[in-house]
Amino acid sequence: MNFNDFKKDVDLDAVGHEFHRLIAQLYPICRSITGNGVRETLGIINKHIPLDIHNVPTGEKVFDWIVPKEWNIKDAYIKDLKGKKVIDFKESNLHVVSYSKPVKKKMFLKELKEHIFTLPEHPNWIPYRNSYYNETWGFCLSYKQFLEMKDEEYEVCIDSSLEEGELTYGECFLEGERQDEVLISCHVCHPSLCNDNLSGVSIAAFLARHFASMSMKYSYRFLFHPTTIGSITWLALNEAKLNKIKHGLVLACLGDPGMSTYKKSRRGGAEIDQAVAHVLKYSNQNFEIIDFSPFGYDERQFCSPGFDLPIGCLMRTPNGKFKEYHTSADNLDFVHPTSLADSFLKCLKIFHIIENNTTYVNLNPKCEPRLGYRGLYWPSNTQHEPPIEQLSVLWVLNLSEGKLNLLEIADRAGIEFDIIKTAADKLLAQGLLKIKTK
Amino acid sequence: MNFNDFKKDVDLDAVGHEFHRLIAQLYPICRSITGNGVRETLGIINKHIPLDIHNVPTGEKVFDWIVPKEWNIKDAYIKDLKGKKVIDFKESNLHVVSYSKPVKKKMFLKELKEHIFTLPEHPNWIPYRNSYYNETWGFCLSYKQFLEMKDEEYEVCIDSSLEEGELTYGECFLEGERQDEVLISCHVCHPSLCNDNLSGVSIAAFLARHFASMSMKYSYRFLFHPTTIGSITWLALNEAKLNKIKHGLVLACLGDPGMSTYKKSRRGGAEIDQAVAHVLKYSNQNFEIIDFSPFGYDERQFCSPGFDLPIGCLMRTPNGKFKEYHTSADNLDFVHPTSLADSFLKCLKIFHIIENNTTYVNLNPKCEPRLGYRGLYWPSNTQHEPPIEQLSVLWVLNLSEGKLNLLEIADRAGIEFDIIKTAADKLLAQGLLKIKTK
Amino acid sequence: MNFNDFKKDVDLDAVGHEFHRLIAQLYPICRSITGNGVRETLGIINKHIPLDIHNVPTGEKVFDWIVPKEWNIKDAYIKDLKGKKVIDFKESNLHVVSYSKPVKKKMFLKELKEHIFTLPEHPNWIPYRNSYYNETWGFCLSYKQFLEMKDEEYEVCIDSSLEEGELTYGECFLEGERQDEVLISCHVCHPSLCNDNLSGVSIAAFLARHFASMSMKYSYRFLFHPTTIGSITWLALNEAKLNKIKHGLVLACLGDPGMSTYKKSRRGGAEIDQAVAHVLKYSNQNFEIIDFSPFGYDERQFCSPGFDLPIGCLMRTPNGKFKEYHTSADNLDFVHPTSLADSFLKCLKIFHIIENNTTYVNLNPKCEPRLGYRGLYWPSNTQHEPPIEQLSVLWVLNLSEGKLNLLEIADRAGIEFDIIKTAADKLLAQGLLKIKTK
């Protein structure tokens, strides 16, 4: 399989809009770490790809954690004395602090204030807040809405439930030639927020759909789970299989107009780290590669010292680095079909490298072999350097000793992976290379 | 023990002046590599800290060297024909080349010139000269004094003695919880020169006095010795114990107004090198870190290839890099209480790190533990990065595998040592870490 | 042997002209990868140095290759209908594509054009072309000459032969104290081209003549061979001896006015790489050091993965980086006696280091030894750093533990090799060092 197969039938402009349509479909749903919002979300994804839905009961012990109660919400509002809803959950599910316990009472603004969160620096935006591990309740308002509230009594209602139930996550497993796995993870616990992380959800879903139609070397496992407790739960339930995971990516914040950012795995020099760096280097775009740190998305768990999996995090603008982050401004206008398509294309290129990154042994290591005799000589103007196809053949021959893989050869040669791979394919066809066996 | 204990009762302004007062008390004494000047100096230091005074007889073989004769001097002058002392040792002990043999004779300027040293580029300053291993005599004059001398006969007198005697050094040993030692060395062989090295002597003495009142993990050994032959003698007499030395600093030139300079140990990456670099990095001051070279102070001996001890040299402006170096301008005005106090504070911070630089093992290495449940969660505005206390807890958990110590974690995280240590203390208290055993 | 011996009797101005005279003598000969041109060239070199001439018959298998037919040429021209030679091989042997098969026929310009090569961007220059492994024929013309040709019939003649014969190369072996060898390679297959590579041929020949008169530690082997097939043939015939080669240089493009360029061996950190880098660093000239790549000159073969010999390539402006490269403008005016002499002097310095780069063990590793006592103390103004002779002695003592060699000590100390070597010589004479035995 090569990259052309990967890209086959991929109309980037069309898929960008397709990604955006899925985001738009998922946008209104009020997700949290547990509850029907996640189930509804997984149901929609399941229309695109086969998904195993797992439900883990409240109280289940997962490493140091316990699966929490299930949270559901029907309605919420703040009403003034005239019965007018000044804040209405139906207008934005960000209005309620996620995981708020039920409340229904009258209170004066002075008291209510302690349960209100605003963003004075962006007076039109509603902030996103949650309180998963501290039972409380609250409302998030635009600062403008807050200023309009008067020093009077209000009726406050959050019609939510926090009860024994289940934590839900979805898993799409695509079996490849090998048992070795690539893990792709995204979080599905945020309410109406697009870049963080419906962009990651959408791209993960379409990657799965795309790969499902292909014959892959690695097996691919796509996880759609609530952040932190979701990845912890999955790790706890699948600990025995983790040694199969050879590469992985956490996908988040992939639709904003910013440049690509890659946060390396904790190992720092894993093959996935090299592959992403290579793709970004040859993207002809600005990009940033940052070192691992133990905060951010679920790489925190995958890269905890007990696992130290080779999993990095691909983003555009990272969490906390765009002003719309965790606010109502992270909406459908903030994510662009072109950015989504570009992120998707980079994922294709990354996994194309992972799929094809073979280590070869030069079967004719003493001096160069006769290349012209084998159709591997590109006649050229002798005043200049030979063409890149020629250089690639020479680099692959010179560096194939069973140590460096094709990606490392490409990086050493300063030549894009696919050109190096094409050279290796030709040399293999000519019997000048063999695949390294362990 | 933590840094607050270290700093407890330390009034930096007051100690700066106290350091300067000790320097002023030691300044008039005519020290050399042997003789009563050193003994008198050690006697004064002994009033502040308990000091073992060692006397090693002339002729004793110490490695390739032999303990030299003891030098003492009562008086010296150059008199003109009218009996007027044009140069008088009593005005400055720099006037006599240190270790000059006795001389008493009349000679014309022409002949005398060969025994006179001046600094034409600084006409008011007297240079400092010595001649330890070549028996000779000489006078050091300001160039101005030299120009005033006439082409006539002078009476020259150096009332010194070079005889069988002893080499003297002082040692202050503070026993800690462990047999492992920290060595702190300074040289006490220079006559009236303040930065080089009464500054180092004063800070070493007060560090010893400060640590003597505390409960330390390491044992601390402070050496006050003549340079070169003194450290060689100590090394020769203590060779069997050197394996206990885990860290060390040579202290010199610590009172001038320049920025801090650290010369790394020969190993280059020893824990002391990392600790000093960390302290200087977080000092909010300019600083310089230079590689080891086999010249300078007694690190030359401690870091000779047969020992290669992890000992660096802490200075402000290094030897030879300030114009007052080895001249009468390295006087009481050249060293400042604030510079001395700042150097002292940096030493406290360095040894605070050395004392607390533990390696831990995360007892919950699979995924993060529940931090909120244990009071280790700092609620924060979800629009931004968590507070530094939170990050520190996450870094310590993620990197504590029994390999990296806290200082290395701090450097990797880009967070100051003490904040990382506080996080580790909290995690240890919560049973989430254990100290790594060998 | 030291560098002064190396340079003894070398009048750089005189040798520069001598190198240029040899180039001028070899310039008119029409060389190719086989044939009488190479034999005539080796015959002239043989007047300067003893040369073993090897003739390897056509058809001999050398690794993946087969020794090709021998090519010779008597004459060639393009005549117009009036019988006027518009192109005449006798005016420039570049006019014929090297290795052209014989041809004699009439053809119109339209047909002839497919066998004509020009350089429109340099209309007065004739390009250099060859076609070794694809039997064809062709003419190289200046673009100006080409524009003067009319759309008419021409008589085309190449009076060449391509027949069973021999491949010829020359070898000059200078036996040293040791069996360990230094290999110096240059290519002798280019026709009238000066920088590429009569400059390399000339310098190699005179290096051999110079070393032949000296007593050397290493044995030196100079190879004068056609490129690619020549080095492959030599490697195939000498495979059993390759383990003796400890260092080597390919010499090419050494006479142009550009700065020196060194292309590192494939190993990258071989002693020859360090030595060349040191010489260039201390040359007080601009220079460039580039990484190994598997194209260029015969380092392609020497550094193929089956051999990976420690051989780099010393040049001034590299192949393909000067506009005169592979054109008639790479003529006697393009190479300068001063550039040739400078390249030669750098070679002398490089091999001076290789010859003298010993690893020592400090016999007095505990503290410094008494240097004054042994005449190794340079009294100096104590206001400043000691003189470089003193520093060198201290560096050699401090770093001689049987691990670092003198070149590595020089690089660590930031002191030129010869000064470090002089210090080591003095320490050895004083019994303070011994040579490391394996």
Side-chain angles (χ1 to χ4, degrees), chain B residues 56-93:
Chain B
V56 185
T58 301
E60 177 107 354
K61 185 127 175 61
V62 285
F63 297 125
D64 188 54
W65 298 65
I66 290 159
V67 173
K69 290 177 184 164
E70 183 172 327
W71 183 71
N72 285 294
I73 182 164
K74 288 186 194 139
D75 197 9
Y77 54 80
I78 302 174
K79 258 188 201 161
D80 66 16
L81 290 181
K82 295 165 197 156
K84 187 193 164 199
K85 288 185 181 172
V86 297
I87 298 302
D88 187 351
F89 171 73
K90 296 201 164 65
E91 286 181 358
S92 168
N93 58 40

Side-chain angles (χ1 to χ4, degrees), chain A residues 63-66 119 121 127-129 232 235 239 266 291-295 300-301 303-307 320-321 325-327, chain B residues 362 364-374 377 380-386 391 394-395 397-401 412 432:
Chain A
F63 296 125
D64 188 55
W65 298 67
I66 290 159
L119 276 180
E121 65 271 36
Y128 161 62
R129 286 274 176 142
I232 291 170
L235 283 162
E239 196 179 349
R266 185 175 181 264
D291 282 335
F292 176 78
S293 58
F295 36 92
R300 294 162 69 144
Q301 313 309 331
C303 297
S304 58
F307 302 128
K321 303 293 183 190
Y325 176 72
H326 278 192
T327 77
Chain B
N362 179 343
N364 187 87
K366 293 176 180 175
C367 299
E368 294 168 6
R370 278 184 294 168
L371 295 174
Y373 173 75
R374 294 178 173 86
Y377 179 73
S380 63
N381 181 330
T382 58
Q383 274 72 49
H384 300 108
E385 203 174 66
L391 300 179
L394 293 169
W395 275 111
L397 284 169
N398 193 274
L399 296 181
S400 285
E401 295 180 285
R412 172 73 182 79
L432 289 168

Side-chain angles (χ1 to χ4, degrees), chain C residues 200-429:
Chain C
V201 171
S202 177
I203 286 178
F206 284 101
L207 275 177
R209 196 183 69 173
H210 192 66
F211 290 178
S213 68
M214 300 173 71
S215 159
M216 308 290 276
K217 196 163 77 176
Y218 285 99
S219 298
Y220 283 75
R221 190 176 298 276
F222 293 81
L223 299 181
F224 300 84
H225 56 75
T227 199
T228 307
I229 185 64
S231 54
I232 292 170
T233 299
W234 184 85
L235 283 161
L237 299 181
N238 293 277
E239 197 179 349
K241 303 194 284 188
L242 297 181
N243 63 340
K244 290 184 186 165
I245 297 174
K246 302 305 175 194
H247 320 281
L249 282 183
V250 169
L251 298 180
C253 300
L254 289 167
D256 67 272
M259 66 182 175
S260 288
T261 303
Y262 178 64
K263 176 180 167 180
K264 288 193 275 189
S265 79
R266 184 175 182 265
R267 299 184 189 181
E271 196 173 332
I272 187 73
D273 300 322
Q274 298 175 319
V276 180
H278 188 89
V279 166
L280 294 182
K281 182 182 168 187
Y282 286 94
S283 68
N284 289 319
Q285 299 173 11
N286 290 329
F287 64 91
E288 193 172 15
I289 294 179
I290 55 180
D291 283 335
F292 176 78
S293 57
F295 36 93
Y297 292 111
D298 289 284
E299 67 277 8
R300 294 164 67 145
Q301 314 308 331
F302 298 125
C303 297
S304 58
F307 302 128
D308 196 22
L309 294 172
I311 294 179
C313 179
L314 187 67
M315 301 169 276
R316 299 188 79 88
T317 310
N319 50 309
K321 301 294 182 188
F322 52 98
K323 66 183 189 304
E324 296 83 357
Y325 176 71
H326 278 192
T327 76
S328 57
D330 181 5
N331 59 23
L332 288 166
D333 292 336
F334 185 61
V335 291
H336 297 265
T338 47
S339 295
L340 292 162
D342 178 73
S343 298
F344 181 71
L345 182 63
K346 283 169 179 159
C347 288
L348 289 189
K349 288 182 175 177
I350 291 162
F351 294 115
H352 170 62
I353 291 177
I354 292 293
E355 287 278 314
N356 289 284
N357 190 21
T358 311
T359 303
Y360 292 101
V361 176
N362 179 343
L363 293 170
N364 188 88
K366 294 176 180 175
C367 300
E368 294 168 6
R370 278 182 296 168
L371 295 174
Y373 173 75
R374 293 177 174 86
L376 295 171
Y377 180 74
W378 284 256
S380 63
N381 183 331
T382 58
Q383 272 73 49
H384 301 108
E385 203 174 68
I388 200 163
E389 295 88 345
Q390 188 71 71
L391 300 179
S392 298
V393 159
L394 293 169
W395 275 111
V396 172
L397 283 169
N398 193 275
L399 296 181
S400 285
E401 295 180 284
K403 288 179 225 150
L404 301 184
N405 58 38
L406 286 188
L407 177 56
E408 288 162 332
I409 293 173
D411 282 336
R412 171 73 183 79
I415 295 175
E416 196 167 0
F417 179 83
D418 248 37
I419 302 171
I420 288 290
K421 177 183 150 35
T422 302
D425 289 345
K426 288 183 175 157
L427 289 164
L428 189 69

